[in-house]
Amino acid sequence: MRVLIDIGHPAHVHFFKNPIRLLRDRGDKVLVTSRDKECAVPLLDQLGVEHRCLSAQHDGGAGGMARELVQRNRALIRQVRDFRPDVITGVGGIFAAQTGFLTRTRSVVFYDTERATLQNALTYPFASRIVVPECYEGWTPKRRTVRYRGCHELSYLHPRYFQPDIEKAYEAGLARSGNTFLLRLVSWKANHDLHEKGWPLDQLQALVKELTKMGHLIISSEAELPVDLAPYAYNGRADQMHHLMAFCRAFIGESATMASECAVLGVPSLYVARESQFRGYITWHNRETKLVRHVADHDLHLLLYELQAITAPTVDQRRRQREAFLDSCLDVPELVVHALRR
């Protein structure tokens, strides 16, 4: 089988890295196409995954999105005509689905973000198959949808596929004594972020002040940080981030993906974003692992209250919650390979 995997975001690199290995181990031919967004390209390089970069992230707004859509679809069509895949796949999958439709190539789209209504409207009608977690709350075409028990982050952070290394965590900035907190800020340039905005600077500065009283702070940010916050910027390698996350006391941030990653790793997390940015898998984690809370307000006192509540369970309690959760879920990389082969 010949498989074209289209990578548009750093999280997609992680989602597909184990399926890529499984496919190649079974003799399948795999072509990876990439998009220059944040650390996606360096991450592929660090993992030793050969790829062809077809476009860079747009500059924001509907116009930028439209220009990149046309540019990338054209480039991807050329790759399909050259490689002649049996199936084309991606997370979110707008380029994979549309290119598959235009070239009459079977497409399989994996996704978990209900809020991306524009992207989903431009993707689902063209995809041959859509694969979503059971907890996904958005619309999908019933006859072309497969649901599974789990979440994307299990594809690369399940203990079967990932064991955190504390030495790599130290190299990435983990404090050698005391607590380390990870704060994540996003750029709000994704298609599902139109009309959204992030942390007010004064409230962000106030939160940073409080967190530094509680331990060591690291800020991972898609956008450039203000001068006074720059000393806290994450300076580790892209492929060291999950090792760092696994040993943090807690995660606070605007990334639902990273909040879910921390939950899979057994780390308490606060997903901080407006109610309009809900995710079914965040609600699911809140119910299943008790390790994630969605906080829809940037108010400092509320955040500190929620942080205290989410970190209250003992290490032993969190371990039992995580183990029960992991035991109830599918092997996601095997699921991905099976979905592509059908």
Side-chain angles (χ1 to χ4, degrees):
M1 185 174 68
R2 301 174 71 83
V3 183
L4 193 159
I5 298 177
D6 189 45
I7 302 287
H9 185 282
H12 305 174
V13 179
H14 294 298
F15 179 80
F16 280 116
K17 65 184 178 184
N18 288 310
I20 288 171
R21 177 181 55 79
L22 292 174
L23 288 164
R24 287 177 171 162
D25 285 350
R26 297 170 192 187
D28 295 321
K29 301 294 183 183
V30 180
L31 171 65
V32 177
T33 54
S34 61
R35 177 175 180 246
D36 189 3
K37 175 184 171 18
E38 201 186 354
C39 60
V41 169
L43 189 55
L44 285 165
D45 294 338
Q46 290 164 10
L47 293 171
V49 178
E50 293 186 8
H51 60 99
R52 301 177 187 177
C53 188
L54 304 184
S55 69
Q57 182 185 22
H58 56 80
D59 55 5
M65 292 178 189
R67 285 190 295 273
E68 187 185 356
L69 178 63
V70 173
Q71 174 194 353
R72 189 171 184 85
N73 276 350
R74 285 176 176 172
L76 201 53
I77 287 171
R78 288 193 291 269
Q79 298 299 320
V80 169
R81 288 173 176 168
D82 177 54
F83 182 63
R84 297 188 179 279
D86 298 297
V87 61
I88 179 170
T89 186
V91 173
I94 184 170
F95 308 112
Q98 292 191 2
T99 297
F101 181 81
L102 292 170
T103 60
R104 297 184 179 181
T105 305
R106 185 167 63 91
S107 62
V108 178
V109 170
F110 299 88
Y111 210 37
D112 61 359
T113 305
E114 301 91 341
R115 179 69 179 82
T117 51
L118 174 60
Q119 173 170 314
N120 295 343
L122 294 172
T123 302
Y124 292 166
F126 301 100
S128 306
R129 176 160 294 168
I130 300 100
V131 184
V132 297
E134 285 181 355
C135 58
Y136 185 84
E137 298 179 15
W139 174 87
T140 59
K142 288 185 179 179
R143 294 184 179 179
R144 290 182 285 122
T145 299
V146 173
R147 291 180 176 267
Y148 69 95
R149 183 169 175 80
C151 59
H152 281 196
E153 294 70 35
L154 288 167
S155 182
Y156 50 96
L157 293 179
H158 190 285
R160 187 179 294 111
Y161 300 102
F162 177 77
Q163 288 297 322
D165 184 330
I166 197 165
E167 290 302 322
K168 291 181 179 179
Y170 287 144
E171 290 174 14
L174 182 76
R176 290 188 175 269
S177 62
N179 293 323
T180 297
F181 295 90
L182 179 61
L183 179 61
R184 172 65 171 176
L185 308 174
V186 303
S187 64
W188 301 100
K189 288 184 178 180
N191 65 78
H192 52 79
D193 294 332
L194 287 175
H195 312 301
E196 296 286 351
K197 58 183 180 180
W199 237 297
L201 181 57
D202 59 335
Q203 294 184 31
L204 176 61
Q205 291 168 327
L207 176 63
V208 167
K209 183 178 179 180
E210 292 301 317
L211 290 175
T212 54
K213 294 177 184 177
M214 300 163 63
H216 179 57
L217 175 64
I218 296 174
I219 301 177
S220 168
S221 178
E222 289 183 334
E224 186 176 352
L225 290 170
V227 174
D228 61 321
L229 301 184
Y232 302 105
Y234 175 69
N235 292 314
R237 288 163 48 111
D239 60 351
Q240 293 174 324
M241 175 59 81
H242 293 130
H243 296 280
L244 169 68
M245 292 167 69
F247 296 100
C248 283
R249 181 70 180 96
F251 167 87
I252 308 100
E254 299 171 319
S255 168
T257 295
M258 290 181 72
S260 180
E261 287 175 337
C262 283
V264 170
L265 291 167
V267 176
S269 306
L270 296 183
Y271 170 50
V272 186
R274 297 198 311 181
E275 289 290 353
S276 59
Q277 288 288 329
F278 83 97
R279 302 287 192 278
Y281 61 88
I282 293 294
T283 303
W284 181 62
H285 272 303
N286 180 262
R287 182 177 66 249
E288 298 286 330
T289 69
K290 312 296 184 186
L291 286 168
V292 182
R293 294 191 182 194
H294 182 180
V295 183
D297 195 315
H298 293 91
D299 177 75
L300 177 63
H301 298 293
L302 175 61
L303 288 172
L304 294 177
Y305 171 82
E306 293 288 1
L307 181 60
Q308 182 180 31
I310 199 74
T311 55
T314 65
V315 172
D316 220 37
Q317 288 172 323
R318 292 203 303 271
R319 178 184 57 78
R320 289 197 299 270
Q321 290 167 345
R322 178 182 182 240
E323 289 176 353
F325 158 71
L326 292 174
D327 288 344
S328 72
C329 296
L330 292 178
D331 184 319
V332 177
E334 290 286 356
L335 167 85
V336 172
V337 172
H338 180 71
L340 296 178
R341 284 180 169 274
R342 289 184 66 180

